[in-house]
Amino acid sequence: MKTKWIMMIAALMMTACVSAQKTIQLPEPDKNVKMTLMEALQNRQSSRSFSDEEISDATLSQVLWAACGINRPAEKKITAPSAINAQDIKVYVCRKDGAWRYEPNGNMLVQVCADDLRKAVAGRQEFAAKAPLSLVLVSDHDKLGNRSNGGERMGLADAGYVSENICLVCTALGLKTVPRMTMDEETLRTALQLGDYDDLVLNHPIGK
């Protein structure tokens, strides 16, 4: 009976998410940030306390571009290093208006779920659910060729590069964040419509 209920809930969640294909065109990211790289490194620190003040799409655009946005349009290459240029890291934005997948090529958000998944991202660490948004980093091992002798490690390394970019841009913009591995992976895997080769690696609650 318990299994039946779990399957019904998962099916309802999937239906809600599939029907929620909205898009948001993000503003062009402002790259004129006063804090230098050395100052960002000096001031970087993890924070586990957030206000509920929302983050604007303009600021979110800056964060996402720094995370893994396109910095060489002619070559379609990104700000973060990537093994074999696989660009395997997908970034999902979870906030009260649903869950959104970041598309670097168009600098846009594509909604994959209408539910507020911040509690699922927080998992057993409730403080993370108080942040106005969380970024979830997923490595698509299929882009790495499913290499049994190193694909998973390559994906973990790529997630680490993106995570550090997030830490530094948040510092430069006066935002708070902390890299985390804790999350409700079962709920997120269903809600974000992840495939068999998608690996939930890290998440970042972000706020002021």
Side-chain angles (χ1 to χ4, degrees):
M1 181 64 72
K2 183 178 180 181
T3 301
K4 182 179 179 180
W5 276 107
I6 292 174
M7 291 178 65
M8 289 177 62
I9 292 172
L12 288 170
M13 182 177 293
M14 183 65 74
T15 299
C17 293
V18 169
S19 63
Q21 291 291 315
K22 300 178 182 178
T23 62
I24 294 176
Q25 180 63 58
L26 293 170
E28 183 70 20
D30 181 1
K31 303 180 185 72
N32 295 315
V33 179
K34 292 182 179 179
M35 185 178 291
T36 67
L37 172 60
M38 291 302 183
E39 289 171 336
L41 290 167
Q42 176 66 38
N43 292 308
R44 190 221 63 80
Q45 59 180 304
S46 295
S47 178
R48 294 169 176 80
S49 179
F50 308 96
S51 77
D52 58 3
E53 183 179 345
E54 293 188 7
I55 305 300
S56 70
D57 282 352
T59 299
L60 177 59
S61 181
Q62 291 177 290
V63 172
L64 291 172
W65 179 84
C68 59
I70 302 293
N71 67 347
R72 287 156 288 174
E75 303 171 75
K76 294 185 178 180
K77 292 188 176 181
I78 60 177
T79 58
S82 176
I84 63 171
N85 193 33
Q87 300 185 18
D88 58 297
I89 302 303
K90 295 183 286 189
V91 179
Y92 292 85
V93 180
C94 297
R95 54 190 190 182
K96 68 180 181 181
D97 64 349
W100 307 76
R101 185 181 66 251
Y102 175 52
E103 294 291 345
N105 283 308
N107 191 38
M108 66 176 59
L109 301 177
V110 178
Q111 192 174 44
V112 295
C113 185
D115 297 333
D116 184 348
L117 299 176
R118 288 176 296 171
K119 288 185 178 180
V121 178
R124 64 178 181 274
Q125 296 181 330
E126 295 181 2
F127 76 87
K130 297 179 181 178
L133 67 85
S134 285
L135 304 183
V136 178
L137 310 187
V138 175
S139 173
D140 181 355
H141 290 181
D142 194 43
K143 289 187 176 182
L144 296 166
N146 300 319
R147 290 168 167 79
S148 58
N149 61 342
E152 182 176 356
R153 285 182 296 169
M154 289 158 61
L156 295 175
D158 286 353
Y161 305 141
V162 173
S163 176
E164 182 65 11
N165 283 2
I166 293 169
C167 288
L168 292 176
V169 73
C170 282
T171 301
L173 296 175
L175 301 173
K176 306 297 184 182
T177 192
V178 56
R180 306 171 58 252
M181 291 184 69
T182 299
M183 52 187 138
D184 181 349
E185 293 191 19
E186 183 177 352
T187 297
L188 291 175
R189 181 164 291 279
T190 299
L192 298 179
Q193 306 174 46
L194 301 183
D196 293 339
Y197 296 116
D198 287 326
D199 184 14
L200 282 153
V201 184
L202 294 169
N203 65 79
H204 277 263
I206 295 175
K208 297 183 178 180

